[in-house]
Amino acid sequence: MTSALDRALVEEAARKSALVWVRGPADAPARALWHVWHDGAVWIVGGPDEQPLDGLGLAAGARATVTCRSKDKGGRLVVWPAEVTEPEPGGDAWSAAVAELAGKRLNGRDSADATAARWRTSCRVLRLAPAGAPEQRPGAMPDGPQAAPPRPSPALTRTPVPSGLPVRRRRRR
């Protein structure tokens, strides 16, 4: 059971943050997703021409971990478990959430009505409701660094500096 203070912290952090980091039950790194806080939960939309949700393993009844950052400092503020539900497209809960999502959608190519119609046919709208006490919060943060190591990529290989680039000279004392 969560306390009223924990619920208020989760809600306030989710309302003020433009992005949340979501890690699904799949063994994949957390992904930054834009969202809205509506009806006591985080709502996200993903699919073609929207943010990708593939590889996260977010399905109805699954558990996810949501991380919210601090608006003023930018660091991790609260990490909480969430239960994933996928409401029926066109239902009352779905329609209310889509109205909120479409209103917050930046750089949308369609009108709000066209966006809702496109999301109904080709996208997934998910509700991530808090499902327990926060795992991390102020006063209960883990010790030590929490940075993940870089993922393997050919872009991370080091090569010598090209000879045409200017070189900074070290100051000698």
Side-chain angles (χ1 to χ4, degrees):
M1 187 56 139
T2 61
S3 70
L5 183 61
D6 288 339
R7 287 190 303 272
L9 175 65
V10 167
E11 180 176 350
E12 191 68 17
R15 280 186 188 275
K16 289 193 175 193
S17 183
L19 296 173
V20 292
W21 281 259
V22 177
R23 175 175 286 125
D27 188 25
R31 190 172 300 159
L33 302 171
W34 70 271
H35 71 287
V36 295
W37 179 269
H38 173 71
D39 195 27
V42 163
W43 290 78
I44 57 176
V45 61
D49 298 328
E50 297 297 336
Q51 56 195 354
L53 298 178
D54 55 327
L56 288 175
L58 298 177
R63 290 288 182 135
T65 303
V66 179
T67 303
C68 297
R69 69 180 184 92
S70 167
K71 183 75 172 174
D72 58 345
K73 301 290 184 190
R76 182 177 353 117
L77 179 63
V78 62
V79 178
W80 47 277
E83 183 175 348
V84 180
T85 56
E86 187 168 1
E88 185 67 32
D92 291 340
W94 186 91
S95 298
V98 164
E100 291 287 325
L101 284 162
K104 299 290 184 179
R105 174 73 167 94
L106 296 177
N107 303 323
R109 66 178 191 188
D110 304 323
S111 67
D113 293 335
T115 298
R118 183 170 51 88
W119 287 350
R120 181 179 293 117
T121 59
S122 64
C123 293
R124 296 175 63 207
V125 176
L126 302 176
R127 181 178 194 264
L128 304 171
E135 298 167 2
Q136 298 175 23
R137 58 179 173 71
M141 291 290 189
D143 293 333
Q146 295 294 303
R151 297 179 65 171
S153 168
L156 297 178
T157 57
R158 293 194 174 257
T159 59
V161 175
S163 61
L165 290 179
V167 178
R168 284 188 159 180
R169 296 176 190 240
R170 292 187 191 182
R171 288 186 180 183
R172 295 187 184 194
R173 292 183 180 185

